[in-house]
Amino acid sequence: MPDYCLHCCLEHSRCTCDAYTKAQPVNNDAFCLPAGTLLDGKYRIGRVLGAGGFGITYLAADERLGFRVAIKEYMPRSDAVRDTNGYSVRAGTFDDQKLFQFGLSKFLEEARVLARITEKDNPRIVGVYNFFEENGTAYLVMRYLEGQTLSGLLQSRGGRLPENEAIVILSAMLDGLREVHNEGLIHRDIKPQNVFITNDGGIKLIDFGAARYAQGVKSRGLTQVLTAPYAPFEQYSQKGNQGPWTDIYAVGVTFYQMLTGLLPDDALSRVTDPSPLLVHAASKGTVSKALDDVVAKATCTDVSGRFRNVDEFHKALSLPSSVNLGYQEPSPKQAARVSPPRVTKSPARVVPKSSSRDAYQGSPPVRPPREPVDMSADIPSRSKGSKNPGVYIFVALIVVVLGVVAYQVVMPELAREFWHEDEAWHEPASGWEAPASAGGGSDLEWVRIPGGSFSMGSNDGDPDDDEQPVHRVTVPTFEMSKTQVTVDQYMACVDAGACTAPDTGDYCNWGPSGRGKHPINCVDWHQAQAYAKWAGGRLPSEAEWEYAARSGGRDWKYPWGNEDATCERAVMWESGTGNGCGRGSTWPVCSKPRGNTTHGLCDMAGNVWEWVQDWYHDSYNGAPTDGSAWESPTGSSRVVRGGSWNRRARRVRAANRSSVVPGSRLGTLGLRLARSVR
């Protein structure tokens, strides 16, 4: 083991102290990994940096590359426990399993998005240079940074910042969010605790909340994953209209806090009293009145009155896009080269148990007193001839750019480590090379399907001969696209020149307007293969498909259980309504959420049949038992699964199968993708 200190040394240099014997005791060491645990064959765990309701972040050493890192472990306290072996993580109860796995899939999805952003060298976003599965859970690997959160900076500066400094930090936050939103991700938890300022002056958004928010939605516990008063009104509802404007509200509140040292009431209270936030009055005249209209619009309780995106916010400030504010970022030449993101599994290796934990220290943000605000003054207009905030701001920026070095010098000594209410985050080393994109399919939503064994086929009721004999199959963990591939998703492949256009005509979704969210149909098996290659996936094996359709291999007739299939759960033929539940065609994907699997897969029963990889055989005699596709001997037809909009309940059973010649293009036939987990 190298002499890289994990506990007692705070500088980025080698030292001689014992990384383990000088650790402080952990108050609840059964909840955390033991100090000294070896993850992924190279990361040696040290003490706990931070812990919250959904994860634990550890200081660790990369023993191969010789530098310190921070590792975040997915560990939702509400529905997970650590086994008595001290390492493995599992759901606390059978009922918790679905929620745990759902959150885990969102944790990994977020990691992939952050890895793509890191590939673009965005200096404003916490990056992920490695992620992997181990111990029944998942881990993110980040470079250990020195600095403090914006919350800590505000606390050290009396609760507020000069206007010019606040504008610098605001602009950096907006620059970071631009890339996040371009990737289709919403941060959902912007607040001073999640803005990190490094010792070299870098400003970074940290602690993204995809897994935390997803679990809140699933458990209907949204109030447990929100941070009032930074959360806008739409975030309090599962059906709220969320988008980039959701983060804009939180940024606006954070900007208001930086300028005034105060916090507004939460959004639920502000809806009943929607008075605009006016920084000039709240700061007792120390902040330019020209910023009133900008802050008021950013923090409008009504979505329609708010900036819709980052660029609108930038424009209102009269700031150029991605303005260079003079902050110094770590040189890529100085950063260690690290491995690209990947998903792996390996057993834990450990040394004798010892660990430590920081004590939480902090104070809650200051709320403003309920003082009357002079509402007689109108919010200034930015029409021609009016006072333009950009004039003032650009003057301020000149001062900032010239004085940023001084700003960094006079800034109080920053803490090397931190712990806030959710988790501590750190930035990875820059200069790593991310894997090349598969070329498309970035808008596919992937769902992790944990592996296991199940009884494939059916003896229930009146099965078809080709559903027998029932046999035991073990399926490795894999991922499957949440929905059937849509017209819009397939069109992107055609536009890229990697796919050929489907057929048009009766019942084909290619061509008619308004079908973008419907499943693509009228594509043959070869076209399905071309799309899979372009999108970075593959067609699932028949065993994978049935295992997923049975919600992880349960002994169920349908994805939801054994209740009869009706139009409440599937797009199908139903007596009294007819084909397509009365529409005579497909429906938009995920129109029947009551029919989803426990992992969240949509339309595994009905809507369109789905191509799989296997050749069709008229029985399971000789079928593979390892979850792989049945490729030998070959045949004349390929297997299709799931039934379609013109099929009765019997044909949308999870065990039901049919065969189609590979060159067929049918209005009842589409596809869904899978991909292996390495």
Side-chain angles (χ1 to χ4, degrees), residues 205-240:
L205 295 179
I206 61 176
D207 199 7
F208 289 70
R212 182 169 57 253
Y213 183 79
Q215 287 197 306
V217 172
K218 274 286 190 180
S219 64
R220 301 183 181 272
L222 284 174
T223 57
Q224 301 175 13
V225 299
L226 303 179
T227 306
Y230 304 96
F233 182 74
E234 67 266 18
Q235 229 175 321
Y236 286 82
S237 171
Q238 297 182 45
K239 298 181 179 180

Side-chain angles (χ1 to χ4, degrees), residues 151-163:
S151 179
L153 176 62
L154 288 171
Q155 193 172 28
S156 70
R157 302 282 287 274
R160 54 177 297 190
L161 299 175
E163 186 173 326

Side-chain angles (χ1 to χ4, degrees), residues 549-551 554-565 569 594-598 654:
R550 290 180 180 268
S551 291
R554 290 171 168 82
D555 188 22
W556 290 352
K557 290 179 66 175
Y558 302 101
W560 55 85
N562 292 316
E563 296 86 355
D564 290 340
R569 291 187 169 94
R594 291 191 62 188
N596 289 2
T597 72
T598 57

Side-chain angles (χ1 to χ4, degrees), residues 148-155 159-161 169 173 187 189-197 203-207 227-231 249-259 261-264 363-366 418 420-421 423:
Q148 69 175 355
T149 63
L150 175 58
S151 179
L153 176 62
L154 288 171
Q155 193 172 28
R160 54 177 297 190
L161 299 175
I169 295 173
M173 293 167 64
H187 189 290
D189 198 22
I190 298 288
K191 56 187 177 184
Q193 294 94 325
N194 290 339
V195 180
F196 193 76
I197 304 172
I203 301 171
K204 305 179 186 290
L205 295 179
I206 61 176
D207 199 7
T227 306
Y230 304 96
Y249 182 94
V251 171
V253 172
T254 301
F255 190 39
Y256 177 86
Q257 182 181 357
M258 286 192 287
L259 293 171
L262 305 174
L263 278 173
S363 59
V366 181
F418 66 97
H420 59 78
E421 63 177 284
E423 296 94 11

